[in-house]
Amino acid sequence: MRPPAGPRPRARTTGALAVAIVNNMPDAALRHTRRQFSDLVREAVAPRPVEVREYTLPGLRRSPEAAAYLARNASPVSALLQSAPDAVIVTGAEPVAARLEDETYFADLVRLLEWSAALPTQLLLSCLAAHAALLAIDGVRRERLPAKLSGVFDQDVDRSRPGDASLPATVPLPHSRLNDVPTERVRAAGYEVLVSSPETGWSIARGSIGRCEVLLSQGHPEYDGSSLLREYRRDVERHLAGESPPPVLPSRCVAPGDEAHVGSFHRSLLEGRRPERLDLVLPVEELASRAPRPWHAF
């Protein structure tokens, strides 16, 4: 890989941490994703101020409403390539093609990785973006899982590095994905696995691409307590419209007191029963107001 040469102008002149978010999420999740990652960064670096700028890759099909939102709030990724932020976050995206390299935005994502490699910056690659980097940079291909991995899973934390002994031994972390890269291949590519579990494999790994420090994340530490439940409702709606098979019910996606109700609804769905009013039998806003997010405590 040949990173672009030459100095880049700074993204800003204030003392704030300049963070670029390349938001590739589906239309309904655009606003939530920007807010979730912005909140995650602000919690991590507080009390330092944070300046967030949003960017978008070309090639992603958007509804008129989503395109209007991006026109108001985001810049094309070509503008990012003329700056030098302190950190870059590249979100995942909903898989469309069977092979990553056949996604319409893959070539632009590879150019973004090549640009990042030339900068002494920090890069967080989430879910599909992490898989794309492993393929483009290291030649490591993702594998399709037998079923969607979705839920909150307890994770083991590597506390062997100096200064990490104060970290908790285990943390809960959400996952929501159809694909996986085996842990041994991630390690063979030179990445250090920081967070993992037998159920999910690796969740967060650290390495570098050129001058750039990289965090790969198969998990979703940015999620709200309601994110998995909202994804489940989306998948239920697609199933009821005849677009997909019955969805997977995410583990621990609601408050403990709501698990019996949601489980009963899911069993009825698997039995082929169709609700007359989805909003009544699966009141997402009400359930979401009680959904916990214990991973934000770490």
Side-chain angles (χ1 to χ4, degrees):
M1 180 175 63
R2 182 179 299 172
R8 300 285 184 180
R10 298 302 296 170
R12 44 76 186 98
T13 57
T14 71
L17 184 78
V19 177
I21 299 178
V22 183
N23 195 345
N24 308 309
M25 292 297 283
D27 294 354
L30 279 171
R31 294 172 177 82
H32 291 298
T33 298
R34 174 181 174 136
R35 176 182 52 77
Q36 288 168 355
F37 273 114
S38 298
D39 289 348
L40 185 69
V41 172
R42 289 190 172 98
E43 290 171 5
V45 304
R48 185 177 180 183
V50 177
E51 178 184 304
V52 175
R53 296 184 181 181
E54 191 172 13
Y55 299 86
T56 182
L57 286 174
L60 287 164
R61 194 174 294 175
R62 297 296 188 188
S63 68
E65 294 78 12
Y69 163 82
L70 291 170
R72 292 191 306 269
N73 297 283
S75 301
V77 77
S78 57
L80 172 59
L81 303 187
Q82 303 305 314
S83 67
D86 298 303
V88 179
I89 297 170
V90 185
T91 77
E94 188 171 11
V96 175
R99 301 192 316 159
L100 264 174
E101 57 267 46
D102 293 333
E103 298 283 4
T104 55
Y105 51 82
F106 185 76
D108 292 294
L109 182 54
V110 172
R111 280 192 286 272
L112 176 60
L113 294 172
E114 293 175 344
W115 166 81
S116 300
L119 297 176
T121 189
Q122 297 183 357
L123 179 64
L124 170 61
L125 301 172
S126 177
C127 209
L128 183 144
H131 293 171
L134 286 165
L135 174 61
I137 306 301
D138 304 294
V140 178
R141 189 172 292 277
R142 70 183 184 182
E143 296 178 352
R144 183 81 170 190
L145 291 167
K148 184 177 183 179
L149 180 70
S150 184
V152 180
F153 303 91
D154 290 332
Q155 307 283 311
D156 298 321
V157 179
D158 180 1
R159 300 189 296 173
S160 61
R161 292 172 294 123
D164 286 354
S166 62
L167 294 175
T170 61
V171 296
L173 196 64
H175 277 253
S176 180
R177 53 191 168 87
L178 296 165
N179 299 279
D180 178 68
V181 177
T183 300
E184 63 272 14
R185 297 184 193 171
V186 174
R187 287 196 171 108
Y191 288 89
E192 177 186 11
V193 173
L194 305 179
V195 181
S196 63
S197 82
E199 292 176 287
T200 67
W202 67 279
S203 292
I204 299 175
R206 182 178 62 185
S208 62
I209 301 175
R211 301 174 65 196
C212 182
E213 297 180 8
V214 179
L215 277 180
L216 304 179
S217 179
Q218 284 199 130
H220 287 282
E222 79 282 1
Y223 270 11
D224 291 334
S226 66
S227 296
L228 290 169
L229 179 64
R230 295 182 191 280
E231 289 183 5
Y232 174 68
R233 180 183 65 178
R234 176 202 65 193
D235 292 345
V236 168
E237 291 171 343
R238 289 176 177 176
H239 169 63
L240 294 176
E243 299 172 358
S244 64
V248 170
L249 176 62
S251 63
R252 299 163 63 182
C253 68
V254 292
D258 293 322
E259 289 177 350
H261 173 76
V262 175
S264 176
F265 165 78
H266 186 69
R267 287 190 295 274
S268 72
L269 197 70
L270 297 180
E271 292 166 359
R273 285 180 276 171
R274 298 177 60 88
E276 292 185 8
R277 289 279 304 275
L278 181 60
D279 59 323
L280 295 181
V281 294
L282 193 66
V284 168
E285 296 305 325
E286 177 187 343
L287 295 169
S289 69
R290 297 190 291 269
R293 54 171 193 171
W295 53 94
H296 277 238
F298 307 99

